[in-house]
Amino acid sequence: MTDASIPRFTGDASPYGGGDPYADHRTADFPFTHLVDLADRRLGAGVIAANDEFFAERENLLIRERAVFDPEHFGHKGKIMDGWETRRRRGVSAAEPHPTADDHDWALVRLGAPGVIRGIVLDTAHFRGNYPQAVSVEAVLLPGSPSPEDLLAPDVKWTTLVPRTAVGGHAANGFAVDAEQRFTHLRVNQHPDGGIARLRVYGEVAPDPAWLGALGTFDLAALENGGQVEDASDRFYSPATNTIQPGRSRKMDDGWETRRRRDKGNDWISYRLAAQSGIRAVEIDTAYLKGNSAGWASLSVRDGEGGDWTEVLPRTRLQPDTNHRFVLDGTVRATHVRVDIFPDGGISRLRLYGSLTDEGAAALAARHRELGG
């Protein structure tokens, strides 16, 4: 799908001339970057194979932090780049020294959670004259834990998400995706060769209802189980989506922290669960938030798109760097949840333990079938 509202970058960037290497980096505000990155290593994503990684390793594609550039960093193979970089392709002979139109390099990416992809960013940061001439991206749904050989088998049918498209050097190249399907793996192609610094795959997790049904009780808010952040009052220091990432926070910016309020209001996050669920227990974790954790928190729910919020956990004192556990009075049915913090600060994780209702399980199974699962 071509979206005219998304800028396209082509051509070389200027050679690095000193100072901030990102000063001339070309980028834009893409309309899908508020969604979860399905290629996040924290969800279990990985680059499982590549045909060539002579200059720089394929695993660099999924590093969370933006690419760094050290103009003095060289190794025995040449300039060391923070990205995935292949050697220069050559033709078959002196009479035909150039690669053919079909020559390309590829990398296989396992998504951290199966999902519907809404947008892709291939960032060529610091690849100023050694980026690919064009890129393309394909996707497939292959359950289980397929090997690279399984994925590359001739009977595997790949779906093109990004057709072969010219890209620019030292630029965040963004592509909107219009494929209402569930995918597990990507094949990222660069034509004919070159380097890509970072890959981001934005979309919505589409969990397997059979797996959730077998679990019975699970974290209903977790990204990997289909929970998602719908909105938040403030994302100044870190994204609200951090609160439903797997595992405990490992440092302060791995949670959600707001700016300091100077009014009498409060901050909040609203979540959508994968489907209608029954919540029985709650954890609010402030790990690594010591002088800036929220002072108090409350929890409210809503069943359906409309209607009022119903408070199920009243305003409760929170301690810094502490995991707080609450057992609710009975099972609370909900499709949406809102956590309010007072007055500001942050939490690192929110966990909601319970099970899908019969209605929620049926709706999730129907959606799974629609997406080709």
Side-chain angles (χ1 to χ4, degrees):
M1 169 184 173
T2 301
D3 188 336
S5 67
I6 296 179
R8 289 281 179 261
F9 305 111
T10 56
D12 295 349
S14 299
Y16 175 63
D20 178 7
Y22 273 99
D24 60 340
H25 180 250
R26 296 176 286 176
T27 188
D29 291 326
F30 301 116
F32 41 73
T33 54
H34 64 287
L35 299 172
V36 61
D37 180 7
L38 298 173
D40 193 322
R41 286 283 301 172
R42 291 175 293 178
L43 286 173
V47 187
I48 61 175
N51 73 304
D52 186 295
E53 47 188 327
F54 185 86
F55 286 113
E57 296 84 0
R58 64 183 191 263
E59 289 86 357
N60 290 335
L61 284 170
L62 304 189
I63 292 175
R64 285 178 57 198
E65 293 76 20
R66 70 179 187 172
V68 298
F69 179 72
D70 180 353
E72 305 299 326
H73 196 192
F74 287 84
H76 65 277
K77 291 183 179 180
K79 182 72 185 74
I80 295 176
M81 298 292 289
D82 185 7
W84 168 48
E85 185 182 5
T86 66
R87 73 194 79 199
R88 300 187 188 214
R89 280 184 171 268
R90 298 297 186 228
V92 296
S93 67
E96 299 179 28
H98 303 103
T100 71
D102 293 331
D103 284 345
H104 67 279
D105 293 319
W106 53 263
L108 298 177
V109 179
R110 179 189 63 243
L111 298 180
V116 181
I117 299 170
R118 304 299 185 188
I120 295 173
V121 175
L122 292 164
D123 194 339
T124 58
H126 315 305
F127 290 95
R128 295 169 175 270
N130 52 347
Y131 58 94
Q133 182 182 35
V135 299
S136 61
V137 182
E138 303 159 279
V140 71
L141 171 64
L142 209 58
S145 303
S147 68
E149 293 74 21
D150 295 330
L151 290 162
L152 295 173
D155 59 337
V156 173
K157 300 297 187 286
W158 292 84
T159 298
T160 298
L161 302 185
V162 178
R164 183 168 175 167
T165 305
V167 294
H170 197 44
N173 300 277
F175 306 91
V177 175
D178 184 16
E180 201 69 18
Q181 300 178 54
R182 185 175 184 263
F183 296 113
T184 57
H185 294 78
L186 297 185
R187 183 161 60 190
V188 178
N189 306 302
Q190 46 180 341
H191 308 266
D193 54 37
I196 300 169
R198 294 291 186 266
L199 167 70
R200 300 291 183 256
V201 184
Y202 297 102
E204 301 151 11
V205 174
D208 182 350
W211 174 253
L212 297 183
L215 292 178
T217 296
F218 57 91
D219 181 359
L220 301 161
L223 276 176
E224 58 192 321
N225 295 330
Q228 58 182 289
V229 168
E230 284 206 316
D231 201 1
S233 60
D234 187 292
R235 298 178 176 87
F236 190 83
Y237 287 113
S238 46
T241 302
N242 280 353
T243 60
I244 51 177
Q245 289 282 0
R248 294 201 76 196
S249 174
R250 296 184 178 182
K251 54 182 180 174
M252 189 175 72
D253 68 350
D254 194 20
W256 172 60
E257 182 189 357
T258 72
R259 75 192 82 196
R260 299 190 186 207
R261 275 190 171 266
R262 302 307 186 197
D263 58 19
K264 298 300 181 182
N266 74 282
D267 288 314
W268 51 267
I269 307 174
S270 61
Y271 304 85
R272 175 192 291 270
L273 307 182
Q276 187 190 70
S277 306
I279 307 168
R280 295 188 288 275
V282 177
E283 285 185 348
I284 300 176
D285 197 346
T286 58
Y288 290 96
L289 295 164
K290 299 181 178 181
N292 49 3
S293 67
W296 293 262
S298 65
L299 193 79
S300 303
V301 302
R302 192 173 69 198
D303 186 22
E305 293 296 333
D308 298 327
W309 293 98
T310 300
E311 188 176 77
V312 296
L313 179 68
R315 194 179 304 188
T316 302
R317 188 75 170 96
L318 299 182
Q319 299 300 321
D321 196 28
T322 300
N323 190 28
H324 308 77
R325 290 179 169 173
F326 309 96
V327 177
L328 300 181
D329 294 331
T331 300
V332 176
R333 190 172 65 179
T335 57
H336 297 72
V337 172
R338 171 175 164 140
V339 60
D340 284 83
I341 63 171
F342 302 89
D344 56 21
I347 61 174
S348 61
R349 295 291 188 270
L350 173 71
R351 304 179 187 89
L352 306 173
Y353 295 106
S355 308
L356 296 174
T357 64
D358 290 343
E359 181 182 333
L364 195 63
R367 176 66 172 156
H368 189 67
R369 291 190 295 271
E370 289 175 6
L371 296 175

